[in-house]
Amino acid sequence: MSKKFLSLFMILTLITSILAACGTSGEKASGGGKSSGDARIIRAGIGLNDKHPQYLGLLKFKEIVEKETNGAIKVETYHSSQLGDDRAMMEALQLGTQQMTIPSTAPIANFIPEYSVYDIPFMFPSEEVADKVLLESDIAKELLEKLPDQGMVGLAYWENGFRDLTNNKVAVSNVGDFKNLKIRTMENQLHLEAFKALGANPTPMAFAELFTAMQQGTIDGQENPIATIYLQKYNEVQKHVSLTHHVYSPFVVLLSKIFWDESSKEEQDILVKAAKEAGDYSRKLNREANSTYIAELEQEGMTVTEITPEAREEMKAITDPVVEKFSDKIGKDTIDRMRKAVEEAGK
Ligand code: TK8
């Protein structure tokens, strides 16, 4: 009898101490987010380096969230693919082993095909139109609303920007110049097919492998916005940059749905507001620096080639049939509505 009582007492003591330990370390099941004190942790990873406006935007997001939640949510930031590439990080969000990432829309199309509407070459004519469509249109908002089905929540659109082409072989100014160029594309089917149609020899690759691939000459070139080309020092391994502006790449701030669901309504509102504010900040930095970066690239020895409207029209005419091929996958209605939103925004 007393023995039984003793073991019951021991079990109770054990349970109490386990509970106490959990209490002091603040261990909560927060979608894989480790804890520090009582805070819930957002581990946020991006592909670009710590000089890029995307990272500076992420730091702004951290500042706002930590301040407005009074430290209840903490944001740990990782750059340069330290947590993996865009695709791997999205998968980690689905599992809840990572809480936040900010990919380009192109790799999102591997999860939600409709996102390829943003991969259509020359869809957005200007930054102003891109802003209006991404920040105000119903179609852009509805695309964000498709994310929860994939275990992710889209907090806001940010800007990667208009993509330009760099390579080591030729100063590309016309369609004919793409011939046989080995171009790395993002892991996105439409991008791959579009570059094939232009005569290039494209190969999809994760962003983190890109610099070495150019350095070793396994590929001739790549395409990314000027900020990436300059801040990732591609001028060290590339000779020519052509201002093709062939696609406008948005970023999407993604949160793991597991973390989202564990947040209060008030916290969710703060997360969305912080993502929007930090996005405005990052977008502004991205644009302010562009012309300086182009001048710097030229000074570092790269040739900078402008593309005439005629050459751009020709590129568009060649890639249009590719878009047609993808229209069922993307959804004709999605494409039409995006085109309408672009038209409206341009008025
Ligand atoms: C960074 C990527 C990158 C994208 C690419 O994670 O892969 O070329 O443009 O900026 O999202």
Side-chain angles (χ1 to χ4, degrees):
M1 185 71 180
S2 74
K3 241 187 189 172
K4 240 187 191 169
F5 182 78
L6 195 66
S7 53
L8 186 67
F9 178 75
M10 278 167 71
I11 287 167
L12 279 176
T13 317
L14 195 67
I15 290 172
T16 318
S17 55
I18 287 170
L19 286 177
C22 289
T24 49
S25 73
E27 205 73 55
K28 285 178 201 163
S30 54
K34 293 169 292 174
S35 47
S36 102
D38 275 333
R40 290 162 67 232
I41 307 281
I42 293 178
R43 286 170 83 235
I46 60 164
L48 293 158
N49 69 23
D50 60 350
K51 307 283 183 303
H52 196 280
Q54 189 191 35
Y55 190 70
L56 305 178
L58 179 56
L59 291 180
K60 176 66 80 185
F61 174 85
K62 169 185 168 74
E63 181 192 314
I64 300 170
V65 168
E66 292 182 354
K67 181 162 166 267
E68 301 213 350
T69 63
N70 292 317
I73 296 178
K74 287 221 154 58
V75 184
E76 285 176 8
T77 62
Y78 300 86
H79 55 83
S80 307
S81 306
Q82 285 164 328
L83 299 185
D85 60 48
D86 283 348
R87 195 166 173 164
M89 288 194 283
M90 282 186 265
E91 282 163 3
L93 258 56
Q94 292 179 316
L95 294 170
T97 52
Q98 182 182 328
Q99 291 69 42
M100 184 172 158
T101 186
I102 314 176
S104 298
T105 45
I108 301 179
N110 294 308
F111 299 82
I112 304 166
E114 286 93 331
Y115 269 79
S116 256
V117 74
Y118 293 122
D119 300 317
I120 296 178
F122 309 106
M123 173 61 92
F124 292 119
S126 67
E127 288 166 346
E128 293 68 35
V129 167
D131 286 355
K132 272 201 193 150
V133 172
L134 292 168
L135 306 178
E136 292 167 24
S137 79
D138 289 342
I139 181 67
K141 192 163 159 262
E142 283 168 36
L143 283 167
L144 292 184
E145 285 161 3
K146 291 188 183 297
L147 286 156
D149 273 353
Q150 288 294 321
M152 301 176 272
V153 174
L155 300 182
Y157 285 102
W158 286 16
E159 168 169 281
N160 192 355
F162 279 108
R163 305 182 76 87
D164 294 321
L165 183 77
T166 69
N167 83 96
N168 255 335
K169 289 261 157 81
V170 49
V172 173
S173 64
N174 271 299
V175 171
D177 300 326
F178 284 90
K179 193 100 197 106
N180 294 331
L181 277 185
K182 281 189 230 145
I183 301 293
R184 173 269 180 178
T185 68
M186 290 185 280
E187 295 172 285
N188 176 287
Q189 221 38 49
L190 204 160
H191 281 240
L192 191 70
E193 296 286 331
F195 277 97
K196 265 190 203 153
L198 286 165
N201 181 2
T203 171
M205 192 183 286
F207 182 74
E209 293 159 31
L210 179 50
F211 190 93
T212 314
M214 290 189 287
Q215 196 169 39
Q216 298 181 340
T218 35
I219 51 169
D220 301 320
Q222 64 85 44
E223 42 85 54
N224 252 299
I226 288 293
T228 299
I229 295 167
Y230 179 71
L231 296 167
Q232 301 281 149
K233 297 193 196 304
Y234 290 173
N235 55 287
E236 290 179 0
V237 290
Q238 295 278 272
K239 290 198 193 101
H240 311 287
V241 55
S242 303
L243 307 179
T244 49
H245 278 37
H246 51 278
V247 167
Y248 178 91
S249 263
F251 282 133
V252 181
V253 180
L254 296 177
L255 197 74
S256 167
K257 186 169 181 296
I258 298 171
F259 190 91
W260 176 260
D261 289 341
E262 286 169 357
S263 304
S264 67
K265 174 75 176 69
E266 201 194 343
E267 287 171 336
Q268 291 176 347
D269 289 346
I270 291 171
L271 291 167
V272 170
K273 184 172 156 262
K276 286 185 174 158
E277 276 180 35
D280 291 343
Y281 173 75
S282 172
R283 192 178 292 110
K284 190 159 166 274
L285 292 180
N286 200 34
R287 288 177 191 175
E288 276 171 1
N290 249 322
S291 49
T292 320
Y293 291 161
I294 294 176
E296 295 270 348
L297 289 172
E298 206 158 18
Q299 240 173 26
E300 299 289 331
M302 285 188 95
T303 70
V304 178
T305 306
E306 297 276 353
I307 304 296
T308 63
E310 295 74 35
R312 206 168 269 132
E313 270 310 312
E314 207 184 329
M315 290 174 197
K316 187 174 175 311
I318 289 176
T319 53
D320 274 350
V322 176
V323 175
E324 189 54 39
K325 223 176 98 185
F326 278 83
S327 67
D328 281 342
K329 219 171 154 195
I330 302 171
K332 289 202 167 66
D333 184 54
T334 304
I335 299 178
D336 284 350
R337 290 180 61 206
M338 187 59 77
R339 290 213 161 109
K340 279 221 180 72
V342 167
E343 207 177 293
E344 280 297 310
K347 277 182 188 160

